Amino acid sequence: MYHDLLTACRAAGCSNFTLWGVTDLSSWRAAAYPLPFDDDGRPKPAHAALIAALRGPP
């Protein structure tokens, strides 16, 4: 979902893309939504999806 949303945002010319948090440890939404990093700061699938979307065409 992160990949698709960020790709659509870039295609529409968005200048910002806001996340609900960065790590599960610091987010109140961690239980409901995947964040880019786990409690220990290790990259999760969401991180890879965001990077792939940024590397692809807008």
Side-chain angles (χ1 to χ4, degrees):
M1 184 176 289
Y2 275 121
H3 181 274
D4 294 346
L5 289 172
L6 182 51
T7 299
C9 182
R10 291 183 68 216
C14 295
S15 60
N16 295 307
F17 189 80
T18 302
L19 303 175
W20 284 102
V22 177
T23 68
D24 291 342
L25 186 63
S26 64
S27 176
W28 59 277
R29 298 193 59 97
Y33 297 99
L35 295 170
F37 298 93
D38 68 11
D39 287 350
D40 297 319
R42 292 181 298 238
K44 293 171 41 179
H47 177 266
L50 290 167
I51 296 299
L54 289 171
R55 288 186 175 156

